[in-house]
Amino acid sequence: MQPEISVILPLYNAESYIREAIDSLLIQTFTNFELIIINDGSTDNTYKILSKYKDHIKIINQDNSGQSSALNNGWGLASGDYIGY
């Protein structure tokens, strides 16, 4: 049995690259992972893009608090045996 991996992806105003980042993770042959995205108060179309993936990823929206806060929030929600970001 493969261990579960939690991938934490903090982002802010990431509309220009978030599709590529998510798609590259979702097409991996290793599938025993969770993807937790912390949207750190984006003011562009990031959330609109993320909502299209809501059935495949966990989306957490928070007020803009910085990368450290976003990572800490994501790590607190992670359920995997291993955590990466």
Side-chain angles (χ1 to χ4, degrees):
M1 179 172 201
Q2 296 177 331
E4 184 174 300
I5 298 173
S6 296
V7 178
I8 313 302
L9 183 58
L11 51 89
Y12 175 77
N13 288 348
E15 71 179 348
S16 61
Y17 63 86
I18 192 60
R19 284 184 194 95
E20 183 178 358
I22 293 171
D23 289 343
S24 71
L25 287 166
L26 294 179
I27 64 167
Q28 298 300 309
T29 57
F30 181 88
T31 58
N32 194 16
F33 70 92
E34 65 179 347
L35 176 55
I36 301 171
I37 296 185
I38 310 297
N39 182 17
D40 191 33
S42 294
T43 58
D44 62 0
N45 289 316
T46 296
Y47 182 73
K48 184 177 179 180
I49 295 166
L50 290 175
S51 65
K52 296 177 182 177
Y53 292 93
K54 67 183 177 191
D55 295 334
H56 305 286
I57 63 176
K58 293 181 184 178
I59 304 167
I60 307 301
N61 290 299
Q62 69 178 31
D63 292 335
N64 184 259
S65 304
Q67 183 178 16
S68 296
S69 173
L71 283 171
N72 285 331
N73 193 3
W75 291 333
L77 298 168
S79 63
D81 296 320
Y82 301 97
I83 300 174
Y85 69 97

